Amino acid sequence: MEPAGAPPPSCAPAREAEEPPGSPALPAERPRDGEPARKASEEAAAERSRGRGPAGRAARGGGRRGPEERGARAGRRPRVTVDSSKAKTSLEALKISLRQLRWREFPFGRRLPCDIYWHGVSFHDNYIFSGQVNKFPGMTEMVRKVTLSRAVRTMQDLFPVEYNFYPRSWILPEEFPLFVTEVRMMKESDPSWKPTFIVKPDGGCQGDGIYLIKDPNDVRLAGSVQSRPAVVQEYICKPLLVDKLKFDIRLYVLLKSLEPLEIYIAKDGLSRFCTEPYQEPTLKNLHQVFMHLTNYSLNIHSGNFIHSDNVNTGSKRTFSSILCRLSSRGADVKKVWSDIISLVIKTIIALTPELKVYYQSDIPAGKPGPTCFQILGFDILLMKNLKPMLLEVNANPSMRIEHEQELSPGVFENVPSPVDEEVKVAVIRDTLRLVDPQKKRRKDIQSQTSEHVSETREDLLDAGPADGPEYETSKSTEAGLPSLCLKQVFPKYAKQFNYLRLVDRVAALFIRFLGVKGTTKLGPTGFRTFIRNCKLSNSNFSMASVDILYIDITRRWNSMGIDHKESGMCLQAFVEAFFCLAQKKYKSLPLHEQVASLIDFCEYHLAALDEKRLLCGRGVVERRGAVVTCPTDGLEVTPALHAPLLNRTAAAGKFADCRSHRYPGAVSPGAGRD
């Protein structure tokens, strides 16, 4: 598609920063050596003679500081502390970022708690009871190829059009017969269809174990796949080419918070190129990995790999340079970005339900623990028509800013990579700026001091500079730093995507009935309690049927090898059971409306149950004269206490009217049961 050669100079990648992300921050200005200490002592004596300074203030008012002076002193706050002892391969980029921010690093750990812990691999790298850690519990498990495929498939069942950015996938070995059958049926219905498939080991990384096939019978089932599950996907045969080469995009995404959900996307990323000109797959070229696989760790071993200091050329370039070339050819770059943002938000929405289950297991409510954030690496492929397709998500994207260069046979040295440094240092530095633990405290101090400006102006003028390397002013921290390279996309665009968060609400029901803190699986008693409290059993669906449903679904999911550490029903199994119940109860609706209706129904009855318990508790504790009775099947209260329930019922009625207007044929939460 694109001719060889660099783009014109006018298309240099757009930068918002005034200085390169990798450049160190300027040190604070120091006093010149020629100024004697005597001058400072004379000025202090003059201050005391005028009744100013610390001694003067003590003589006037006992040395008490006004709120504004306290705020000014607090502005010279202790520097943010970061434990980098587990940073591993991201250490160099982290060090540069901390120098730019003038934060304090503890490379060997610290006995006292730190503000931020930067882990290289896992949330469980060490025990943390406070502060912030750059990993979520369960994220590594969630973005494995099998788990990611299951999560996206669930969303594809609900919203097939919205989730068509993920290739058709089958999970091996349990879905191998289904894979063979579906491929045969598709070939029979369309004889011209000649697909290629790519097989990816579940726990593989850096291109390890990936191979292409033309026929389902070529899957290597013997040995390795039985012990090492895999995903087989339809291969994208018509990718966008630049300089006749296939490439993918590594985009960095910050998941800043789970509850509330907060997502940021880096404004620039990396484009990793194959090192042999692309041809559509045939039986002859299936095994040419340098043509078909974009993994940097594979292509770096090719003799054609080009290390370049220019972001516009070489085998690794900035994504902005690619967008610039596309723009010069008349492509709608804004739409490309919009589609990528949509892909990222939808993928995170698919992952968050199970992440919340892991989170409450590792950090239960009321238990001391850190808050979490995490940088994810999204691997995205642009098709020839510029539609982005999700390849995979990496929980631990490489943050190395150097590469190995062979000086002589067997002798290597690390050489800086300007392209990596430009993108990755900015991502780490601005992630730290966004999670700065002292930002909230500064805002509180500023709001407090603004109320007392007129009363303490004189004391504020008297305040002198704080001494010592442990303190830094808030202005000097941000001085000289470029604008943020991370753009918030959620909750900024929440209105467009909140309707997709159905499984999130199902997960909230699942977590409510887990019972024991720290567990991730629902026992039979918890499942029965869910059915009973949500009024889902009736003459056509007895509790015996409930037990059979629980046993059948749980046994099948456990046979797939899903986390044998605990017995019980995992979230995916609960979601499947919930979908079955929704299809039984609301037979005439599309699946996503069936599920939404059942969620509304369950939330309605649980809200009524919570209110009934609250009213009963009030009656027992307060022992008022009002009569409060809580029979098994009904709710009787005095009119005064019944008012909130009436208001909630009216609100539920309005909500049902709205749903029936939006979905003609939808059943209201309080409608008759099947």
Side-chain angles (χ1 to χ4, degrees), residues 444-506:
D444 294 342
I445 291 170
Q446 288 171 1
S447 62
Q448 180 187 7
T449 56
S450 63
E451 299 173 0
H452 303 86
V453 171
S454 59
E455 300 176 8
T456 57
R457 186 176 301 276
E458 183 180 353
D459 288 342
L460 179 63
L461 293 173
D462 292 339
D467 297 326
E470 290 293 320
Y471 292 84
E472 197 67 57
T473 64
S474 58
K475 289 185 177 180
S476 65
T477 303
E478 296 290 333
L481 291 178
S483 59
L484 288 172
C485 75
L486 294 165
K487 173 185 178 181
Q488 188 193 81
V489 296
F490 201 97
K492 182 177 181 179
Y493 303 122
K495 289 183 179 179
Q496 294 97 306
F497 297 96
N498 270 338
Y499 75 98
L500 299 172
R501 303 184 69 183
L502 293 181
V503 183
D504 237 14
R505 295 167 67 190
V506 175

Side-chain angles (χ1 to χ4, degrees), residues 334-573:
K334 287 186 177 179
K335 185 179 186 308
V336 173
W337 256 120
S338 176
D339 291 344
I340 289 174
I341 289 171
S342 176
L343 178 154
V344 168
I345 294 175
K346 291 173 182 176
T347 303
I348 296 290
I349 286 175
L351 295 175
T352 51
E354 195 153 2
L355 274 177
K356 290 180 179 179
V357 175
Y358 279 110
Y359 194 90
Q360 67 81 34
S361 173
D362 279 82
I363 313 174
K367 176 185 174 182
T371 56
C372 302
F373 63 94
Q374 188 155 353
I375 298 171
L376 303 172
F378 275 65
D379 291 347
I380 297 169
L381 184 74
L382 288 179
M383 296 178 65
K384 195 172 183 178
N385 61 0
L386 298 184
K387 177 182 177 179
M389 298 292 289
L390 177 66
L391 300 180
E392 61 183 67
V393 180
N394 294 271
N396 301 301
S398 171
M399 286 295 177
R400 291 190 62 177
I401 56 174
E402 68 279 332
H403 61 85
E404 287 186 345
Q405 186 173 21
E406 190 170 13
L407 300 178
S408 59
V411 179
F412 297 86
E413 74 168 350
N414 287 330
V415 179
S417 171
V419 177
D420 285 296
E421 184 170 331
E422 178 173 328
V423 174
K424 295 175 181 178
V425 170
V427 169
I428 291 179
R429 180 197 63 227
D430 291 349
T431 293
L432 293 171
R433 290 166 71 183
L434 285 169
V435 302
D436 183 349
Q438 298 183 353
K439 269 188 176 181
K440 184 178 184 301
R441 190 165 66 87
R442 287 204 300 271
K443 290 179 181 178
D444 294 342
I445 291 170
Q446 288 171 1
S447 62
Q448 180 187 7
T449 56
S450 63
E451 299 173 0
H452 303 86
V453 171
S454 59
E455 300 176 8
T456 57
R457 186 176 301 276
E458 183 180 353
D459 288 342
L460 179 63
L461 293 173
D462 292 339
D467 297 326
E470 290 293 320
Y471 292 84
E472 197 67 57
T473 64
S474 58
K475 289 185 177 180
S476 65
T477 303
E478 296 290 333
L481 291 178
S483 59
L484 288 172
C485 75
L486 294 165
K487 173 185 178 181
Q488 188 193 81
V489 296
F490 201 97
K492 182 177 181 179
Y493 303 122
K495 289 183 179 179
Q496 294 97 306
F497 297 96
N498 270 338
Y499 75 98
L500 299 172
R501 303 184 69 183
L502 293 181
V503 183
D504 237 14
R505 295 167 67 190
V506 175
L509 297 173
F510 176 80
I511 292 171
R512 173 177 175 134
F513 290 97
L514 279 176
V516 180
K517 288 185 177 181
T519 185
T520 60
K521 291 194 175 181
L522 186 67
T525 303
F527 189 71
R528 288 170 65 92
T529 306
F530 157 70
I531 296 292
R532 190 180 299 111
N533 288 359
C534 293
K535 312 291 185 186
L536 296 178
S537 62
N538 51 47
S539 58
N540 295 325
F541 187 61
S542 64
M543 294 307 292
S545 301
V546 170
D547 293 337
I548 292 172
L549 177 67
Y550 176 87
I551 292 170
D552 286 348
I553 292 181
T554 302
R555 184 179 295 165
R556 181 156 45 79
W557 277 89
N558 287 341
S559 68
M560 296 178 190
I562 308 295
D563 188 12
H564 287 303
K565 296 177 183 178
E566 295 181 55
S567 61
M569 176 181 273
C570 62
L571 176 64
Q572 300 105 318

